[in-house]
Each structure stands twice: as C-alpha cells, then as structure tokens.
Amino acid sequence: MSLQRPTKNSNKDHLYMKMKLLQNRPSRTNFADKTLLSSKNLRYLLLLWLSLSLYLLFTSLFSPSNPLLKPTLHSSATASRALIEATTAFASPPLRIYVYDLPPTFNSDWLSNPRCATHLFGSEVAIHRALLRSPVRTTDPSLADYFFVPVYVACNFSTSNGFPSLGHAKRSLSSAVHRISSEMPFWNRSRGSDHVFVASHDYGACFHAMEDVAVAEGVPEFLRRSVMLQTFGVNRRHPCQDVEHVLIPPYVVPETVQPSSEFSPARRRDIFAFFRGKMEVHPKNISGRVYSRGVRTEILKRYGNDRRFRLKRQRYDGYQSEIERSTFCLCPLGWAPWSPRLVESVALGCVPVIIADDIRLPFPETVRWPEISLSLRESEVRSLARVLERVAATNLSAIQRNLWNPAVRRALLFNDDVQYGDATWHVMEALHRKLRRRRSMTDTWR
C-alpha cells in the first residue's frame, strides 16, 4: 500500500469540515464573554442603586423641611443668611423686602431720646433695625415682595405725664406715603397693598390711645389696603383690626429679661402672685374714662392686704427680679388689652395670669398660650385667689415645664439681628405665608 500526500482540495475539504464542527459546538469563549458582560452589568446596576440611595438619603437629611436641622443661633450677617436659607419660611421663591430710605425726620431723629428704642412701643425701631441687617432685605425695589415704610410714630414723649403722644402719627404717615408715592411707582402700582407699617401702640392701625376715639375714627383711609404689624388684637370684630395685619408682641429689651445666674426652673419662688404698675384707687380720669375698665382697682381692693399677693403701685427699675421670684404674674388690661408683662413674665418663667376679655395673643403656632398661662374673664377677679390656689395644687408643674421651653421665650423677643425663631423671624414668616396665599390666588385665576 502506498501513501499519498493529500491534495490541496482535500485539505480544504478537511478544513471546511473542521470549521463546521467547531461552529456547531458551543463556544467556550462566547460563553465566558457573556458571563463577563453580565457581571459588569450587575456591578453597574449595584453602583447605580447605591448612588441613588445615597443621593436620596442626603437630600432628605439636609432638606430645609427636616426638623432635625436646627440652625445655630448667631448674630453675624453671614450666619443670619445661612440660618434663614436653612428654614422653610424663606425657601424658594424667597421673601424679599425693600426698606424705604426716608429722611431722618421720619425715624432716626427721634432716637435722640433713648426711650424711643426701649419703651413698650419700641418694636417699630427694633423691626426697622432688624430688616436693615436681614438677608431678606433687597436694595432693588423691582425685586421686592413687600415694601417696609419706617415711620416712628410712638416716640413723641411731649406729654406732661411722659407717655407718647400720637397726635402727629397720621400726619407723619400721610406725609411718608405722599413722598414714596410721588418719588417711586410701587405704592401706586399696588395701591399700598404690599406695603408694611408698624403700629405698636394701644389700638394699632387706628393710631389713637383711647378706644372710643380709635373706634370712631377707624383705620386711616390711605392705609386700609396695607399690612400692619400691630400689638392690638381681639377675638371679635373690631375697627382697629379691620385691615390686613400681623399680630406682634409688645417690645421688651432682651437684655432686661435675661434670667439671673441663680435662676433655675426648679428654684422655689417666694412670691405667690405679683403685680407692679398703675392701680388707681379711683380709676375714672378727668375725661370720664375708666382705666383698665376698673379691673386693676378691683385687684387692689380685694387683694391689697392679702400677704400672698405682692401688689405695688410705685415704679421700681429692678422689678424684673420680682418677676423672677414670683409663681404667678398678673397681666390685667390697661387702656388696651395687651401688656408688656406678658413678655416679661414668659421670659422670666413666671406664669402669666391674663385678665383681658377677648384678647388675641401673638404667634400661637409657637407660643401655645393655653399651655403656659392662665386666662380669667374681667368679671372673675373676685375668684382670682381661689383659681390660683387650685392651679398651684394641681397642674402648676406642667404649666411651668411648658413655660420653660426656650423656643417660647425666643418667639416673644426682638433682636437687632434676626435669629431663628425670634419675634422678627415670626413676622417675616407670617408675611411669607401671606405672600404664598397671594401667589396661589393669582395662579388660580390665570
């Protein structure tokens, strides 16, 4: 048998058959590639899932609405900007307030008398100062949501008794409105509806200290579309709150109500019930008006000789130390329902006893007044001692715990620099709520 070399054709046929067989067999290389590709896809999906999870986690943690984010309280402008940007009240779209630069005769000239910035109507000065230094202030009026008109009307201490005279108030306000409406277009554009004024005296937007005159005159016509920041408020219809307004606390200088170094919530208070202020034996004045509707006179008559009550008619500059020593602090109405004693009592841990029918109190969303104070009708003064004894024997501790919440104290005090949760912060939050409602109404009608 002879061996023959394979021909070219036979080699080709052999190679062709071999290739066909290899093609019909599962390829180990293709299988490995597919496995590798699948593994890469899995790693990619895992990485994508992890990235998305981390993103959602961090955005939820650092969202302005997260209650765990409590801004640090600072007084610097930079810290204040970061603080306000971290709160939901000034989230996008932001609140922007333009402060009119009026001649000093409308405001700063009055500061030559130091009382202008420190007396119980001093919030008109405090709010102006805070807005000038606030990050919500804009120097471009075309960007503003609100326009603040800084007119100090409660600094005229020209009366013989040393109380502010409001006789010039409406004239000064009218003059300011005339100036801004003739020099800039923004008042005329909205007819004043986005302009903000402070009315920090007895009957707010009526700009009069006596209720009968205030009611008769009402809110000045040129201000009836504007926003008033006012201390006066009642839970019924009243001409002096028949205007868009934000209820604010009376002004108390923050430094005067700083608790002493000996202060402690658990400290025993040696004064049961305390009041220092005007208490007329004969409350009817020369005009025939009865001061405090006779309530303070009734308190003096019934409890003046009761050793549990410390009632003083004389002025005493250190009376805050007496508040700090007291369990209950009486807050009866004066000419108006409200009183700075409300703020002083809360700030120094004394339970306010509010005696003023129908009074409406500021910032109830933060200051839960029914949980930190007592309220009596004016006709219930005769039962005052019995009510206080019952509370002292039952739920006094619970009321005091609520009262000692730092957020409650902070909400009632104005600071030169806006701080998270302070009185000016709450004013701006209230303005921002009004702005959101206004925008939503505009969107609804589009």
Side-chain angles (χ1 to χ4, degrees), residues 61-83:
L61 281 175
F62 296 102
S63 166
S65 61
N66 186 351
L68 297 176
L69 283 180
K70 295 291 183 183
T72 305
L73 302 184
H74 297 289
S75 60
S76 70
T78 303
S80 182
R81 179 178 295 278
L83 178 150

Side-chain angles (χ1 to χ4, degrees), residues 30-148:
N30 288 344
F31 180 79
D33 289 344
K34 289 178 181 177
T35 304
L36 180 61
L37 182 60
S38 175
S39 176
K40 286 181 178 177
N41 285 341
L42 181 60
R43 285 201 300 273
Y44 173 78
L45 289 172
L46 286 171
L47 182 61
L48 180 62
W49 176 82
L50 181 61
S51 301
L52 286 172
S53 298
L54 289 172
Y55 171 79
L56 293 172
L57 174 64
F58 281 100
T59 53
S60 64
L61 281 175
F62 296 102
S63 166
S65 61
N66 186 351
L68 297 176
L69 283 180
K70 295 291 183 183
T72 305
L73 302 184
H74 297 289
S75 60
S76 70
T78 303
S80 182
R81 179 178 295 278
L83 178 150
I84 290 183
E85 288 175 352
T87 62
T88 57
F90 311 114
S92 181
L95 178 70
R96 291 161 297 199
I97 300 176
Y98 179 79
V99 181
Y100 282 109
D101 185 16
L102 294 175
T105 52
F106 288 99
N107 41 62
S108 59
D109 279 358
W110 292 102
L111 296 174
S112 59
N113 186 333
R115 284 185 65 199
C116 181
T118 60
H119 70 117
L120 72 165
F121 303 150
S123 56
E124 60 184 7
V125 180
I127 293 171
H128 183 202
R129 286 175 172 172
L131 288 178
L132 287 175
R133 302 168 66 169
S134 166
V136 304
R137 181 192 178 194
T138 178
T139 55
D140 183 352
S142 65
L143 299 177
D145 302 302
Y146 287 104
F147 298 82
F148 183 76

Side-chain angles (χ1 to χ4, degrees), residues 174-194:
S174 178
S175 177
V177 168
H178 175 73
R179 175 178 287 271
I180 62 180
S181 63
S182 59
E183 294 181 354
M184 302 180 80
F186 306 103
W187 175 276
N188 298 326
R189 183 184 65 184
S190 68
R191 291 192 290 167
S193 64
D194 51 6

Side-chain angles (χ1 to χ4, degrees), residues 376-401:
L376 273 74
R377 302 288 299 177
E378 295 163 21
S379 60
E380 295 174 336
V381 168
R382 64 177 66 88
S383 306
L384 176 61
R386 188 164 61 253
V387 170
L388 298 186
E389 287 171 351
R390 185 169 65 248
V391 170
T394 54
N395 60 331
L396 175 62
S397 297
I399 295 173
Q400 288 176 327
R401 280 196 300 272

Side-chain angles (χ1 to χ4, degrees), residues 99-270:
V99 181
Y100 282 109
D101 185 16
L102 294 175
T105 52
F106 288 99
N107 41 62
S108 59
D109 279 358
W110 292 102
L111 296 174
S112 59
N113 186 333
R115 284 185 65 199
C116 181
T118 60
H119 70 117
L120 72 165
F121 303 150
S123 56
E124 60 184 7
V125 180
I127 293 171
H128 183 202
R129 286 175 172 172
L131 288 178
L132 287 175
R133 302 168 66 169
S134 166
V136 304
R137 181 192 178 194
T138 178
T139 55
D140 183 352
S142 65
L143 299 177
D145 302 302
Y146 287 104
F147 298 82
F148 183 76
V149 188
V151 182
Y152 300 169
V153 301
C155 288
N156 183 4
F157 299 100
S158 61
T159 55
S160 58
N161 59 12
F163 294 126
S165 169
L166 297 175
H168 72 299
K170 295 176 185 177
R171 185 172 62 254
S172 296
L173 291 162
S174 178
S175 177
V177 168
H178 175 73
R179 175 178 287 271
I180 62 180
S181 63
S182 59
E183 294 181 354
M184 302 180 80
F186 306 103
W187 175 276
N188 298 326
R189 183 184 65 184
S190 68
R191 291 192 290 167
S193 64
D194 51 6
H195 283 58
V196 181
F197 298 81
V198 179
S200 55
H201 39 81
D202 298 78
Y203 287 96
C206 288
F207 293 96
H208 202 282
M210 298 293 108
E211 185 173 17
D212 56 341
V213 180
V215 168
E217 296 182 355
V219 179
E221 181 67 33
F222 65 93
L223 293 176
R224 290 183 182 176
R225 292 178 59 85
S226 298
V227 181
M228 294 292 163
L229 310 180
Q230 64 179 47
T231 44
F232 173 74
V234 288
N235 291 310
R236 54 183 169 82
R237 289 291 302 273
H238 195 287
C240 297
Q241 59 184 16
D242 190 16
V243 63
E244 191 74 23
H245 66 278
V246 175
L247 192 61
I248 63 174
Y251 183 73
V252 171
V253 179
E255 291 76 18
T256 65
V257 287
Q258 294 298 324
S260 66
S261 57
E262 296 84 17
F263 176 82
S264 166
R267 175 185 174 185
R268 183 176 177 81
R269 296 177 176 245
D270 60 312

